[in-house]
Amino acid sequence: REITTGKIIVQSTPPRMEGKNMLAMMWKPILGSMVLAAVVIVVSAFLAAPQALVLFAVLLGLTAGVYIGFCLADGRSWEQGIELLVGLLFFAVAAAGVWISPFVLVGGVVAHAAWNMSHQPRLVSTQLVMWYPPIGAMFDMIMAGYIAVRWTLL
């Protein structure tokens, strides 16, 4: 079933697909997520540790903001409240990761991966494109792993 919200068409329930068809549909977003993660890692490698940490904190805030955009497009008050509250929480964790410890940021990025996956299979009912949660979670876990390794080796 599809729901049209303005000009955005979202699926309220993911279509039932065989594993092979799902992979065929997801390979471009999967590749895109890995390429984006690699670009971020390469860029951060040229930054001093404090600037790289700010970059990762900004990325956590941006990725949390994506769900705020989805909830605004969704239009339902309850979902807007939940997504805004959780988005603000991730912004606070991103700031704490810069001010307190990089490992707070790692925890926030891992928590964001879990938040991504809570939207699959619709534990959280905000209407969104079905490929975003698993791809976002994959990006988050790559970033969390890199941040943890980089700051463990410092």
Side-chain angles (χ1 to χ4, degrees):
R1 186 181 84 158
E2 291 185 346
I3 298 171
T4 303
T5 311
K7 294 185 178 187
I8 299 173
I9 297 176
V10 294
Q11 294 179 329
S12 61
T13 54
R16 301 206 183 270
M17 297 185 151
E18 299 297 321
K20 182 178 176 184
N21 292 338
M22 182 62 84
L23 182 59
M25 185 180 82
M26 296 287 290
W27 78 268
K28 286 181 184 177
I30 289 169
L31 180 62
S33 180
M34 291 189 303
V35 167
L36 181 59
V39 168
V40 170
I41 288 169
V42 168
V43 168
S44 73
F46 288 99
L47 299 174
Q51 288 78 24
L53 191 59
V54 170
L55 171 67
F56 295 125
V58 168
L59 285 173
L60 176 57
L62 286 173
T63 56
V66 170
Y67 283 107
I68 294 172
F70 280 133
C71 80
L72 293 174
D74 183 309
R76 293 178 291 163
S77 297
W78 176 253
E79 284 72 14
Q80 287 177 345
I82 290 172
E83 296 288 358
L84 286 170
L85 180 65
V86 172
L88 289 173
L89 178 66
F90 282 118
F91 282 109
V93 169
V98 172
W99 294 330
I100 297 171
S101 168
F103 296 100
V104 172
L105 185 59
V106 170
V109 174
V110 170
H112 190 262
W115 182 246
N116 277 316
M117 294 314 294
S118 74
H119 292 79
Q120 285 292 95
R122 308 291 188 235
L123 182 63
V124 178
S125 64
T126 301
Q127 304 298 316
L128 47 88
V129 291
M130 69 179 229
W131 54 263
Y132 185 79
I135 299 310
M138 180 172 49
F139 177 82
D140 286 341
M141 293 308 293
I142 293 169
M143 290 296 95
Y146 177 75
I147 297 166
V149 168
R150 181 168 177 176
W151 268 266
T152 299
L153 297 177
L154 285 180

